[in-house]
Amino acid sequence: QSFGSSVKGAMYAPNEPVLDYNMVIIFVMAVGTVAIGGYWAGSRDVKKRYMKHKRDDGAEKHDDETVDVTPIMICVFVVMCCSMLVLLYFFYDHLVYVIIGIFCLAASIGLYSCLSPFVRRFPVGKCRIPDNNLPYFHKRPQVRMLLLAVFCISVSVVWGVFRNEDQWAWVLQDALGIAFCLYMLKTIRLPTFKGCTLLLMVLFVYDVFFVFITPFLTKTGESIMVEVAAGPSDSASHEKLPMVLKVPRLNSSPLALCDRPFSLLGFGDILVPGLLVAYCHRFDIQVQSSRVYFVSCTIAYGIGLLVTFVALALMQMGQPALLYLVPCTLLTSFAVALWRKELAMFWTGSGFAKDLPQPPLVIAPVNCPELPKDSNIPASEQDTEQMTNPTLHVKEPRGPTTAAEELADTDTKMDQSEISVAQSEEPAGENKGDLESKCLNAEQKQLE
């Protein structure tokens, strides 16, 4: 009434920092998960190849199971991802609870898989439960493993009940998410670099399309990927998808203190490059390259994640992390293979064609009894005749042998010793042809 229409009002808000300290935590968690998961997956896979004849416990055999990804599986997986993302965009309030339930189940399995190697080292709780006819307990699991399963399920249930507590629930979600990612990296295996390239390129296009292209197709102009990951603003349930690593802002600005916004990194941005890192580690061990592929690919992943953070700060909008992670990891792995002149083997995975390296073949003479000197045959011809029956001996690699192989070796040695004793007891005037036939028999024994 006093100033008329010339009065103007303004709201003040302090400037928000471009980058937050929580980016450091997300970087350490993501790179650490990729490095540990890739190293663990590669080591377990190679160990399983070399120890496949060793008798293991049934539970350990089940833990060692892996799934080889084929091109058809990659296509089906991408179609399922696209369909699920679109369904979540339109029916978010109903499907979000399905995703939360699946995450609780998968996270408890992943946590059990990650903790079981440490629990098996404990000297207590090795006793098994009594015989029963229950669905799972009929295998009579150990008490310590049963307690571990109860603990893992309890952690998932606690997170499911208190998932919306912004003060501390994000810690449980990140721990369960890291365990889930490690379990998936250990279970899913890409057998060739060709398969790695196909998977990463297809998901690269998928990520870019749903972040940068879908805003032109939606009515609100919002990205489908960002909208689903952060939760729609008009959602009635106000639930958030758990398939992300989330860390709250750590600065002291009013927005961070009152609203507690989170920085997010999807599990796909860890799993997809992590599968390539695991393949590089397996290839390193196979060709004995001092882990040059594994280390270079892990460093490339860290650089790609840093580039993602820089793009996020410059553009001030959600970024498809695979846009930067895929070129960094793929090009680095390709360049290392090209530099080491192993590109053909690296591309086709031919280093994994055989479960065990072929033992070298060595020529060794048969330990035949010396033939009596014949005065009618020159000495040079007699020496040549003794070396005309060489046999092939396989130099066995040093390592554990099975009981059956040791028994076979013992029997062979006993047979050879018996032949030598029998030959030493023969009279001096024995026929030369009989000695030659015994030499051939000894040779046959060694071949058998």
Side-chain angles (χ1 to χ4, degrees), residues 11-20 249-257 261 316:
M11 297 294 290
Y12 167 75
N15 293 327
E16 289 291 320
V18 177
L19 287 176
D20 193 83
R249 289 187 178 273
L250 302 178
N251 59 54
S252 58
S253 66
L255 181 60
L257 294 175
Q316 290 296 308

Side-chain angles (χ1 to χ4, degrees), residues 29-41 182 185 270 274 277-278 281 294 298 301:
M29 288 194 300
V31 176
T33 302
V34 167
I36 296 174
Y39 184 88
W40 190 17
L182 291 176
L185 289 176
I270 298 175
V277 173
H281 187 221
F294 170 72
T298 304
Y301 176 81

